[in-house]
Amino acid sequence: MNVLVTGINGFVGGYLFSRLRSAGHKIYGLGREPSSLYDLDGYYTVDITKKFQLDREFDAVIHLAALNRTTIGADIDSRIFSRINVEGTKNLIESCGYSRFIYISTAAVYAREGKLITEESPVVPVGNYAETKYEAELLCQSLIPCKKLMILRPVNISGAGQKKIAVVPLFFDRARNHEALELSVSPSKIIQLLDVTDFTMAISQCLDFFCSGIFNLAPQDCMTMLQLVNKILKLCDSKSSLVIKEVKEEAPSLVCAEKARQRLSFQALKTMNNILEDYYESLNGGTE
């Protein structure tokens, strides 16, 4: 297949390139940078916030590129989120031809009501990131024929090489430096992590078992935020203090990926303990 990947130079992009290359696909990348580190079959330097046209059609477009800030940098002007996540998606949709379009959204669009979250659960996005990702979902549904469109809603992606704006690398960085860790959410709040290699496996399976619609992507296990922090502190043998700013109890809300398991043969291979232990090893010269 000829596959276009936006955001190819980002954290997930490199893992996805390796996965798709090993599967024999021809890979074209799109990014803001003047070039890419990867041995692509073609690369486009594009600012997706402006209208553009590409010179070929693709079997599949995988839209990874987005402004993703849910903690550090979450106070960025909402108009910037909209330009990148919504207008950028519209410009991409209109820039080329494709047989299928895979939009990477987020499980953050769902309401957290203490229930099992399926693809039919209420959508109540909160914050600039979730709001604009859902707005882009609706845009995709209005502009792309449903038989061509797949929307993926993963939980928190994690893995070696991730920037320190996500919760796992941020907490590891502070724990290794014995700095205070602040929990701005309830210690009982449930978190689910999806390893980046499992995430890219799911995207690859979308190309093999393509079917339209919305799919959650999540592991079968979870942790509370307190368990997550304690695991990181233990791995790092850290003397960091823990500052808890929110003590309200929260009923667990688990994202269920049963539909993806049945329709895409997807099942996350790494547990949350695996993810945290592998990340720790990567910081100490292990897997990169």
Side-chain angles (χ1 to χ4, degrees):
M1 278 188 188
N2 293 326
V3 182
L4 175 67
V5 179
T6 71
I8 190 71
N9 297 317
F11 164 57
V12 175
Y15 285 92
L16 184 58
F17 167 79
S18 298
R19 174 80 63 177
L20 297 182
R21 177 64 83 209
S22 66
H25 297 294
K26 290 186 176 181
I27 308 163
Y28 298 81
L30 185 153
R32 293 174 299 172
E33 299 79 4
S35 63
S36 176
L37 296 173
Y38 308 112
D39 183 21
L40 300 166
D41 294 279
Y43 179 74
Y44 302 93
T45 300
V46 168
D47 177 355
I48 63 172
T49 66
K50 302 174 183 177
K51 290 188 177 296
F52 62 95
Q53 289 295 316
L54 304 181
D55 58 3
R56 68 170 62 241
E57 293 195 0
F58 302 94
D59 295 306
V61 171
I62 301 171
H63 187 24
L64 285 175
L67 176 58
N68 181 352
R69 298 289 189 277
T70 55
T71 52
I72 295 177
D75 57 349
I76 294 172
D77 191 325
S78 61
R79 291 171 294 183
I80 299 176
F81 277 93
S82 184
R83 282 201 298 270
I84 296 173
N85 295 348
V86 182
E87 288 299 317
T89 299
K90 182 176 186 292
N91 291 337
L92 174 66
I93 291 169
E94 297 174 344
S95 71
C96 61
Y98 39 81
S99 299
R100 57 185 70 171
F101 192 102
I102 301 174
Y103 178 68
I104 310 303
S105 185
T106 172
V109 300
Y110 291 112
R112 299 288 169 159
E113 300 178 329
K115 300 177 182 177
L116 192 66
I117 296 173
T118 70
E119 291 79 2
E120 287 72 43
S121 295
V123 171
V124 185
V126 176
N128 290 329
Y129 174 64
E131 289 170 0
T132 54
K133 292 297 281 185
Y134 184 59
E135 189 176 345
E137 282 191 25
L138 298 178
L139 184 69
C140 288
Q141 292 170 330
S142 68
L143 296 178
I144 302 172
C146 61
K147 65 181 180 180
K148 288 186 174 185
L149 176 63
M150 178 178 286
I151 295 172
L152 302 182
R153 291 175 176 169
V155 296
N156 304 278
I157 309 300
S158 189
Q162 193 172 22
K163 293 181 180 179
K164 298 171 187 175
I165 55 174
V167 63
V168 169
L170 179 63
F171 280 2
F172 265 107
D173 182 62
R174 291 182 177 173
R176 281 160 58 88
N177 290 311
H178 306 290
E179 298 172 355
L181 273 66
E182 293 186 356
L183 268 184
S184 57
V185 297
S186 169
S188 64
K189 181 180 175 66
I190 291 294
I191 184 170
Q192 291 169 279
L193 300 177
L194 182 64
D195 187 77
V196 65
T197 58
D198 284 331
F199 179 44
T200 56
M201 175 183 66
I203 296 174
S204 182
Q205 287 171 321
C206 289
L207 300 178
D208 296 331
F209 301 95
F210 185 80
C211 44
S212 60
I214 297 173
F215 294 86
N216 293 340
L217 297 177
Q220 292 182 308
D221 65 337
C222 65
M223 287 182 178
T224 65
M225 289 299 296
L226 184 59
Q227 289 171 329
L228 176 80
V229 169
N230 284 336
K231 175 72 175 182
I232 291 173
L233 292 174
K234 183 177 180 180
L235 285 169
C236 297
D237 191 22
S238 178
K239 298 179 177 61
S240 296
S241 60
L242 176 59
V243 179
I244 297 176
K245 293 189 171 183
E246 174 63 74
V247 296
K248 180 182 68 174
E249 288 292 317
E250 289 197 18
S253 296
L254 289 177
V255 176
C256 173
E258 179 62 19
K259 181 180 176 182
R261 187 190 69 80
Q262 293 184 2
R263 302 279 295 276
L264 304 174
S265 297
F266 166 75
Q267 183 166 329
L269 300 178
K270 287 192 177 183
T271 66
M272 288 190 56
N273 275 320
N274 293 153
I275 292 169
L276 297 175
E277 290 162 3
D278 288 352
Y279 190 87
Y280 176 72
E281 288 299 318
S282 77
L283 296 175
N284 291 279
T287 56
E288 294 294 336

